[in-house]
């Protein structure tokens, strides 16, 4: 009887389809962000001066669009980096990823709320909370994979797995701080993510040792 990938020992699956699905969801969510700009109307514009004034009125939604797109892109980069090491994944890991994608597809909605209701505490907080949940799921997915690293990440040492997890915790801590500060300073709190690089290095405590990428291990 043929034994496909579903019968792999330890009940794990290849990550290829999960990676493709995740890439697609991130791409769609990032594309939908622009609808908040294209869905707005300028009213009756009869001169260049009026058009420039109308375009200036898009400053707030344009800023939110760029900010949300940049953060989504950074989270996608984190996803790509993780799956350079995760060779296989189990059912729990798949569903952690699905929950993360649930929060990813909500980003266009919470971005619109930030633009339209920035004078309300809930309007300022929901996008930061949204990103905090996405980032927390990314960290949780790596932590879960690291617990089963002999199967999910063959070749990665326990020290490297812990070092990567500590480094990934940087974004969780920063996003929690953004949530806490957003009621007070709004979108300015997102600039705390500029500290992610130095904090990641501080928490990670060193570079990863060399190992074959997951794609090579599957061959």
């Amino acid at each position: 009887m043929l034994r496909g990938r579903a019968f792999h020992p330890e009940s794990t699956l290849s990550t290829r389809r999960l990676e493709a699905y995740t890439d697609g969801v991130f791409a769609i969510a990032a594309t939908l962000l622009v609808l908040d700009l294209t869905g707005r109307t300028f009213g009756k514009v009869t001169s260049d001066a009026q058009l420039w004034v109308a375009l200036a009125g898009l400053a707030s939604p344009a800023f939110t669009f760029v900010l949300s797109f940049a953060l989504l892109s950074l989270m996608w980069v984190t996803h790509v980096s993780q799956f350079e090491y995760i060779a296989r994944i189990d059912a729990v890991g798949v569903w952690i990823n699905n929950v993360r994608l649930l929060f990813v597809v909500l980003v266009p909605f919470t971005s619109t709320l930030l633009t339209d209701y920035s004078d309300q505490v809930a309007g300022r907080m929901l996008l930061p909370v949204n990103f905090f949940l996405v980032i927390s799921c990314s960290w949780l997915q790596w932590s879960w994979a690291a617990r089963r690293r002999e199967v999910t990440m063959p070749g990665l040492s326990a020290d490297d797995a812990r070092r990567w997890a500590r480094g990934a915790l940087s974004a969780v801590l920063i996003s929690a701080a953004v949530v806490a500060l957003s009621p007070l300073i709004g979108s300015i709190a997102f600039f705390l993510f500029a500290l992610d690089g130095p904090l990641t290095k501080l928490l990670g405590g060193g570079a990863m040792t060399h190992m074959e990428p997951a794609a090579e291990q599957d061959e």
Side-chain angles (χ1 to χ4, degrees):
M1 182 177 68
L2 293 176
R3 296 173 65 83
R5 290 192 299 267
F7 294 96
H8 186 274
E10 304 293 338
S11 300
T12 62
L13 301 170
S14 168
T15 63
R16 291 193 294 273
R17 291 184 178 178
L18 180 140
E19 292 179 67
Y21 176 55
T22 302
D23 288 345
V25 172
F26 267 98
I28 291 171
T31 302
L32 289 177
L33 287 171
V34 79
L35 293 181
D36 188 38
L37 293 176
T38 58
R40 296 175 183 271
T41 59
F42 293 159
K44 187 177 182 180
V45 175
T46 59
S47 68
D48 286 338
Q50 289 178 340
L51 180 57
W52 284 116
V53 170
L55 289 172
L58 290 178
S60 178
F63 173 75
T64 303
F65 163 72
V66 172
L67 180 67
S68 298
F69 186 89
L71 290 175
L72 272 180
S73 297
L74 287 173
M75 292 174 196
W76 177 77
V77 169
T78 298
H79 155 71
V80 171
S81 299
Q82 287 182 346
F83 281 88
E84 283 294 302
Y85 298 99
I86 300 175
R88 301 191 68 84
I89 195 163
D90 60 10
V92 174
V94 168
W95 280 103
I96 293 173
N97 191 68
N98 287 341
V99 172
R100 174 175 62 169
L101 296 182
L102 169 66
F103 297 126
V104 166
V105 297
L106 284 174
V107 169
F109 172 65
T110 53
S111 295
T112 300
L113 291 179
L114 176 61
T115 299
D116 293 340
Y117 301 100
S118 59
D119 55 337
Q120 306 294 326
V121 172
R124 294 193 296 271
M125 286 191 66
L126 285 174
L127 183 61
V129 168
N130 195 165
F131 279 123
F132 171 77
L133 293 172
V134 175
I135 292 168
S136 296
C137 286
S138 293
W139 175 77
L140 182 61
Q141 185 177 53
W142 177 268
S143 299
W144 176 259
R147 288 183 60 183
R148 306 193 63 207
R149 61 181 175 79
E150 295 85 357
V151 175
T152 59
M153 297 184 287
L156 185 66
S157 70
D159 287 341
D160 277 343
R162 286 192 292 268
R163 188 178 300 117
W164 214 103
R166 289 197 304 269
L169 188 60
S170 163
V172 178
L173 296 175
I174 291 174
S175 62
V178 172
V179 171
L181 291 175
S182 60
L184 302 175
I185 59 177
S187 299
I188 297 175
F190 282 106
F191 286 100
L192 286 176
F193 279 103
L195 302 175
D196 183 50
L199 186 56
T200 296
K201 292 180 181 178
L202 179 64
L203 294 174
M208 300 277 280
T209 57
H210 175 73
M211 64 168 286
E212 293 182 354
E216 296 177 9
Q217 294 170 16
D218 271 345
E219 294 180 356

